[in-house]
Amino acid sequence: MKRKHYFVATGIVLLVAAIAVYKTYDTTRVQRETVSYQTFYTDVRAGTVTRVTISDSKIIFTRNTGTEEFITANPHSPLLEEFLLQHGVEITYTWNGAVIINVVLDIIFYAIIFGVFIFAFRTFIKPNLFRVQRTTGVTFSDVVGMENLKHDTQQIMDIMQHPDRYAQRGIRMPKGILLEGAPGNGKTLFARALAGEAHVNFIPTKATDFESMFMAIGPMKVKLLFAKARRRTPCIIFIDEFDGIGTRRNYFGSALETENTRIVTALLNELDGFQPNSGILVIAATNSIAALDEALIRPGRFDARFVVPFPDARAREALCTLYCANKSHDASCTPETLSQMFHGFSCAKIESVLNRAALIATDAGQNAFTLDDVRTAVKEQQAAR
């Protein structure tokens, strides 16, 4: 505390000393006589003025008859400088305190604006927003079912791995794949598996990644995403919940709809801006193709459309085996029996029902869940709809 008081006292002493020095200089400096501008103008024409110092509000000049300085008002005439130079007068310009303060305030203002821009950029357009995954750790062997979908995408993976071979035949890689299906059927998992099978970089995103409280930030994020993908080709971009940003454009809607229109336009520009065989594949997942902008999903942008179906009987059996592996269950809960109970269920719903059945059995003090527990869990799921 004493050290703090010492610095404060030292600062006060230095400030008082500076004021005293300034006052001493102010009282001892050369006294100037004030004359009219007409007198100054006449002296200049007569050639008796040798040197002029021009500030924002006044003119200080000396005559060739001595060293005494005179002062007059500054008329701010655009012809004054030319007039003085024609009569051989030496000109000096000075800034007064008000001008300096205005310049400093301008600098501070622009520094604040620039700082706010940098803050907004780092906050809402973070450089690490879209992370590139070198390996996804998932392959088609980790995806249960979807055999037709796996087969249909084999050739696309081969084009990504050998673009030159297909380019010789005039075949380009599809720019986009659209996956449509009910929620919970594994669209994201399939996209990760496709990237893992192709051994390419993978950038997972979702519609909410492009949302922002500031206008025009969404389109900038789109450009940032594709710029990052181009630096890491071959690369797969996966956009989940695509109908959240790719809906039909509305030029006369609210601010939110206007921002969505800009995002769609940015996506159109990026998809059309690709060079042939650029090595970038966009996979978009949606629950409803009908809600998407027609220009966005036309052939040439999204060349392939696949439906991710509900798991069939064989897939449901495999899923039941997978989800029951770490759970204690009654012998009656065979994969075949459970598969019949889960007809029309999504992958995520099957996992949720089995997890709930295990919880019901635990609450009842049972070591393993039974078919009755599964039926109860199914009824709870149906009642929650």
Side-chain angles (χ1 to χ4, degrees), residues 34 43 185 199 240 247 255 289 310 319 335 339 346 352:
T34 301
D43 289 345
N185 273 340
H199 303 289
D240 200 6
T247 53
I289 289 182
F310 285 99
L319 288 169
S339 173
S346 67
S352 178

Side-chain angles (χ1 to χ4, degrees), residues 220-334:
M220 292 180 66
K221 288 182 178 180
V222 171
K223 295 179 181 180
L224 176 65
L225 169 63
F226 282 90
K228 181 174 288 189
R230 289 191 187 97
R231 294 194 298 268
R232 292 165 175 82
T233 55
C235 181
I236 290 178
I237 296 174
F238 176 68
I239 306 177
D240 200 6
E241 306 164 2
F242 193 51
D243 42 294
I245 59 172
T247 53
R248 298 175 184 272
R249 285 169 288 179
N250 183 358
Y251 297 97
F252 305 100
S254 62
L256 183 62
E257 291 171 323
T258 302
E259 179 71 354
N260 179 80
T261 296
R262 290 174 177 158
I263 292 175
V264 172
T265 303
L267 286 169
L268 294 175
N269 293 335
E270 294 297 335
L271 288 169
D272 275 342
F274 288 170
Q275 296 298 321
N277 305 316
S278 63
I280 300 176
L281 176 66
V282 180
I283 302 179
T286 179
N287 299 327
S288 175
I289 289 182
L292 298 175
D293 191 275
E294 294 180 358
L296 186 60
I297 60 175
R298 69 161 175 78
R301 292 191 175 111
F302 284 90
D303 299 287
R305 298 184 184 183
F306 299 111
V307 175
V308 180
F310 285 99
D312 56 19
R314 182 177 299 179
R316 293 197 301 271
E317 290 179 12
L319 288 169
C320 291
T321 302
L322 175 65
Y323 296 145
C324 290
N326 298 322
K327 297 179 178 66
S328 298
H329 54 85
D330 188 79
S332 61
C333 297
T334 62

